Amino acid sequence: MMWLVRMRRPCRELILWFGRMRAGWCCSACMATQCLDCRRGLRMPEVMQIRNPRLVRALRAALDVHGVRLLEQVEVQALEVAHGRVQGLRVSGQAMLADAVVVTAGAWSARLLRDLGAGALHLPMIEPVRGQMMVLNAPHSGLQRIVMSEGRYLIPRKDGRVLVGSTLEYAGFEKMTSAAARESLHAFALRLCPALAGVPIEAHWAGLRPGSPQGIPYLGAHPEIQGLFLHAGHFRNGLV
């Protein structure tokens, strides 16, 4: 499928780049936490973090400055196509003309394209994968850097909070949190960082990732409808 081919080479280069990293880096990033389970690891200095809500607020402010019009709480009802080319969208009963349409609906992207009649033979293989996370209020944990293990992670914030994530659950479009996931995440945090014992759990929430085969995102043009583009299926790759 055309959407997949466009990402294969960049992903291969990314894998090779990680392969050149120096191995044997012990858990010096969290020595203060008495991290007993870590023996060997990889140091990845390019892995960073950002506060998502603040980034979104900054992005919105930038869009306002550049005169970009945002329509919120509206329903995209139809994709207007004529002679194999996008003409625009029908949004909440009104026609909106456009030379190009980019679908960035996350876990809902495949469903949206299907409902808009974008061609069943070329629908992306995107499904929701629930991820539950929690944040601990731990100003004295001693954790200084992001630590990843067993497919999960601890992310220390400058304000003393520690982000703990995350689960991988194929539960459809169900976004509810669960006691089992809460206990599992908390146990992981304490196992990796015993200094977190006794600190309060400030929040626990769930979200839906756009899962895709092998975690490779769909980036590019629709193979049949000119002017229709897809940017989705990033799975666990994104902002943390």
Side-chain angles (χ1 to χ4, degrees):
M1 187 178 294
M2 185 180 298
W3 287 340
L4 277 175
V5 170
R6 289 174 175 250
M7 280 300 296
R8 282 177 180 164
R9 184 172 180 179
C11 285
R12 188 180 302 116
E13 292 173 352
L14 181 64
I15 292 171
L16 292 175
W17 185 79
F18 272 98
R20 289 195 295 268
M21 289 184 174
R22 179 169 58 88
W25 176 71
C26 191
C27 201
S28 60
C30 55
M31 281 298 185
T33 68
Q34 304 173 14
C35 178
L36 302 180
D37 287 344
C38 296
R39 293 295 179 267
R40 295 173 62 85
L42 290 175
R43 180 175 181 269
M44 297 185 289
E46 300 299 323
V47 175
M48 301 182 184
Q49 59 170 303
I50 194 168
R51 301 296 287 268
N52 299 357
R54 298 177 186 177
L55 176 66
V56 172
R57 288 196 295 269
L59 175 60
R60 177 163 190 148
L63 294 175
D64 289 340
V65 168
H66 288 85
V68 177
R69 182 186 177 197
L70 297 177
L71 300 179
E72 300 179 274
Q73 304 300 322
V74 297
E75 179 184 2
V76 178
Q77 299 168 316
L79 179 69
E80 302 291 351
V81 179
H83 309 294
R85 170 173 283 279
V86 161
Q87 304 296 313
L89 296 170
R90 181 162 297 278
V91 179
S92 296
Q94 296 184 351
M96 297 187 63
L97 300 179
D99 294 327
V101 172
V102 183
V103 176
T104 59
W108 290 265
S109 294
R111 175 187 288 186
L112 178 61
L113 284 169
R114 181 198 64 202
D115 293 346
L116 295 179
L121 294 178
H122 297 286
L123 287 178
M125 297 174 62
I126 297 176
E127 62 178 331
V129 183
R130 184 170 65 191
Q132 298 189 48
M133 306 174 68
M134 64 170 53
V135 64
L136 308 177
N137 193 344
H140 306 296
S141 69
L143 195 63
Q144 299 176 3
R145 294 181 177 86
I146 299 173
V147 180
M148 295 182 286
S149 178
E150 306 170 17
R152 295 184 175 182
Y153 49 80
L154 300 178
I155 302 179
R157 303 295 201 192
K158 288 185 177 181
D159 60 7
R161 291 172 173 81
V162 176
L163 193 67
V164 185
S166 60
T167 64
L168 286 173
E169 305 170 73
Y170 292 86
F173 287 93
E174 177 58 65
K175 287 182 63 176
M176 295 292 293
T177 59
S178 68
R182 181 186 179 97
E183 294 174 3
S184 175
L185 290 170
H186 196 227
F188 163 78
L190 298 186
R191 183 168 64 254
L192 200 62
C193 181
L196 294 174
V199 304
I201 299 175
E202 192 170 274
H204 172 210
W205 68 95
L208 298 178
R209 306 181 186 90
S212 57
Q214 301 178 349
I216 300 176
Y218 293 83
L219 300 175
H222 191 279
E224 292 182 348
I225 303 175
Q226 296 183 46
L228 178 61
F229 300 87
L230 179 65
H231 193 286
H234 295 74
F235 196 32
R236 302 188 74 179
N237 300 306
L239 300 175
V240 178

